[in-house]
Amino acid sequence: AFFAGSGARRVDLPTYAFQHQRYWIDMVPLTGDVTAAGLGAADHPLLGAAVAFGGMDGVLLTGRLSLRTHPWLADYVIQDSVLLPGTAIVELAIRAGDQVGCDLVEELTLEAPLVLPENGSVQIQVWAGAEDASGRRELTLHSSAGDDGVSWTRHATGILRTGGLGGGASLAEWPPAGAKVVDLDGFYDQAAEAGFGYGPVFQGLRAAWRRGDEVFAEVALPEGVSAEGFGLHPALLDAALHAADLTGGADGTGRLPFAWSGVRLHASGAETLRVRLTPSGADSVALTVADSTGAPVAGIDSLVLRPVPATLTSHEERKSLFGVDWVPVPLADGDDVPTVEWAEVGALADALSGFVAVACPVASGSDPVSAAHEAAHWALDVVQRWLSEERSGAARLVVVTKGALAASADEGVLDVAQAAVWGLVRSAQLENPDRFVLVDLDDEAASLE
């Protein structure tokens, strides 16, 4: 209204400030010649090698996953954690079955989410074991963070066997007769509110219809995402599962795959799917999957879906069973208590026997960064002074702080600056064994005794 009478007109904004062009080359997984190391090629985008064992029936498939080598996995975010989708795990199971001549994933149970680190990588191992008397093979999936290969977590177990290629339903009539269109406006916004942060690669649900208890869905990979090398691209199958939230058994909170039964793959390479989902239980659905012409692609007899776990544990959080806990240790009668001599920093050379204690001063000012720098410089000066005195080798320097450590789970660090002193002196302890002792005090007067 302000410009209405002034003759002003709208003009296009300059575009250069808002246009973005990316010049970085996309990282692709390394696919060197593993045969030189005595391994077999796995021929799969998520796997690097296949290992057969002499004198044993079975195969081990190995690979390494990271957000750098497989950036599309970063689009699968659940409760702010990047997970390997359950559909990727069933894809690995199908590939393992191909390797040992099994065309049916009879059972596959996901025991623990596989959280991918923001930085670094995760090793995976898929083991298809020996055939038993009934023709079944045991399947397991393990992962380990980093390169140590010491700590492994089992994420899935299952059974492979033959007999899955029979049948395969067609979905040639599309949309199906009598089905009513489902409005998908805001579908992924609602999913994000429920903790399912699907990125563009996993937002593949294009259309949906409902007929009684049945839900029909059309899903597709976004432009630029290739299904080459996959039996059934995990993002494509996962998008098909999004339609499970439209079935009568869904409660609107979002669920993840838990247990698969009767999974068979009829054709590979599809980039667009037609899917029929039929409830098979209170928390399960059966899926018929076809390509854009209606020809069979896959079938799943039953998939049990469960709510997301309350907490998702990463490898970094799970890699050690040990934690730090402070346990009070009272002195018993007769314990030898060493004598400690207090000294000023400038007079350390005059006190070079037994235990010599110096108190870390409280840093001046209220800025925690400046205070930490000031305290760390003080500690460095003390350490260097002590080590420069050759005669100090017969004594130990006790660096005394106050409030640098939390003595219990419900107590926080009281003084960040003094905590920095502990970090610096710990390094000096490692480099100079038996030369330094760290003591942290609280406000109790008895702590000085």
Side-chain angles (χ1 to χ4, degrees):
F2 178 78
F3 292 106
S6 63
R9 60 183 178 84
R10 291 184 180 274
V11 297
D12 292 333
L13 290 173
T15 59
Y16 61 85
F18 307 101
Q19 289 177 331
H20 175 74
Q21 187 170 357
R22 185 173 181 272
Y23 294 95
W24 294 104
I25 299 175
D26 289 330
M27 181 69 180
V28 296
L30 297 177
T31 55
D33 182 12
V34 296
T35 59
L39 307 176
D43 298 324
H44 193 278
L46 298 178
L47 297 168
V51 185
F53 295 87
M56 293 179 61
D57 181 19
V59 67
L60 180 69
L61 302 175
T62 67
R64 184 181 293 276
L65 304 178
S66 74
L67 301 186
R68 185 166 176 257
T69 57
H70 301 81
W72 59 274
L73 290 174
D75 279 1
Y76 194 77
V77 180
I78 309 298
Q79 289 186 354
D80 299 323
S81 296
V82 179
L83 304 187
L84 181 68
T87 51
I89 296 177
V90 78
E91 166 72 12
L92 292 172
I94 292 172
R95 181 65 191 89
D98 292 340
Q99 194 75 20
V100 295
C102 293
D103 53 23
L104 177 67
V105 180
E106 186 175 70
E107 300 175 7
L108 182 66
T109 301
L110 310 187
E111 299 179 346
L114 200 168
V115 180
L116 298 173
E118 182 178 354
N119 300 300
S121 62
V122 171
Q123 299 180 62
I124 59 171
Q125 291 186 350
V126 184
W127 168 250
E131 187 177 53
D132 64 15
S134 64
R136 291 174 170 82
R137 294 175 182 267
E138 180 183 359
L139 175 86
T140 59
L141 168 67
H142 289 78
S143 77
S144 177
D147 300 313
D148 55 9
V150 174
S151 176
W152 291 87
T153 300
R154 190 173 74 180
H155 297 279
T157 59
I159 299 294
L160 304 173
R161 68 172 178 87
T162 58
L165 291 183
S170 170
L171 294 178
E173 183 185 8
W174 201 259
K180 297 182 179 180
V181 175
V182 177
D183 184 7
L184 295 179
D185 286 346
F187 179 85
Y188 285 108
D189 290 336
Q190 295 174 13
E193 293 176 0
F196 291 73
Y198 298 122
V201 174
F202 285 85
Q203 294 185 12
L205 184 59
R206 298 290 183 260
W209 299 263
R210 183 184 288 112
R211 184 177 63 188
D213 290 337
E214 295 178 306
V215 169
F216 300 86
E218 188 170 283
V219 299
L221 288 175
E223 185 178 354
V225 179
S226 173
E228 183 179 359
F230 292 96
L232 184 53
H233 196 290
L236 195 60
L237 181 56
D238 191 80
L241 301 185
H242 299 173
D245 288 334
L246 305 175
T247 62
D251 59 5
T253 60
R255 299 168 294 171
L256 292 178
F258 170 65
W260 308 73
S261 300
V263 181
R264 60 191 66 81
L265 182 67
H266 302 293
S268 60
E271 296 186 354
T272 302
L273 296 179
R274 298 175 179 180
V275 186
R276 179 176 65 204
L277 300 95
T278 307
S280 58
D283 297 306
S284 61
V285 293
L287 285 86
T288 300
V289 183
D291 63 16
S292 57
T293 67
V297 169
I300 301 170
D301 292 342
S302 177
L303 169 59
V304 178
L305 299 157
R306 287 191 174 178
V308 184
T311 57
L312 298 173
T313 306
S314 68
H315 273 283
E316 288 299 315
E317 297 167 323
R318 187 169 49 236
K319 67 182 180 181
S320 175
L321 297 178
F322 302 100
V324 176
D325 194 14
W326 298 103
V327 180
V329 181
L331 289 175
D333 293 339
D335 283 349
D336 183 20
V337 180
T339 301
V340 179
E341 178 183 355
W342 289 88
E344 298 294 332
V345 174
L348 287 179
D350 299 330
L352 298 177
S353 62
F355 288 86
V356 181
V358 291
C360 178
V362 177
S364 60
S366 58
D367 178 24
V369 176
S370 299
H373 286 169
E374 184 179 333
H377 280 293
W378 174 89
L380 180 61
D381 178 56
V382 168
V383 167
Q384 291 175 335
R385 285 172 181 263
W386 185 255
L387 295 177
S388 66
E389 294 289 345
E390 294 183 3
R391 293 183 298 127
S392 69
R396 292 192 182 186
L397 181 65
V398 182
V399 180
V400 181
T401 59
K402 180 180 289 188
L405 297 177
S408 63
D410 57 353
E411 179 182 286
V413 173
L414 302 178
D415 194 318
V416 175
Q418 304 236 337
V421 172
W422 270 68
L424 189 147
V425 177
R426 276 201 193 101
S427 298
Q429 285 178 318
L430 293 174
E431 297 171 359
N432 305 273
D434 301 325
R435 303 291 298 277
F436 298 96
V437 176
L438 278 162
V439 174
D440 190 53
L441 303 179
D442 54 22
D443 291 327
E444 299 292 334
S447 298
L448 289 170
E449 297 180 358

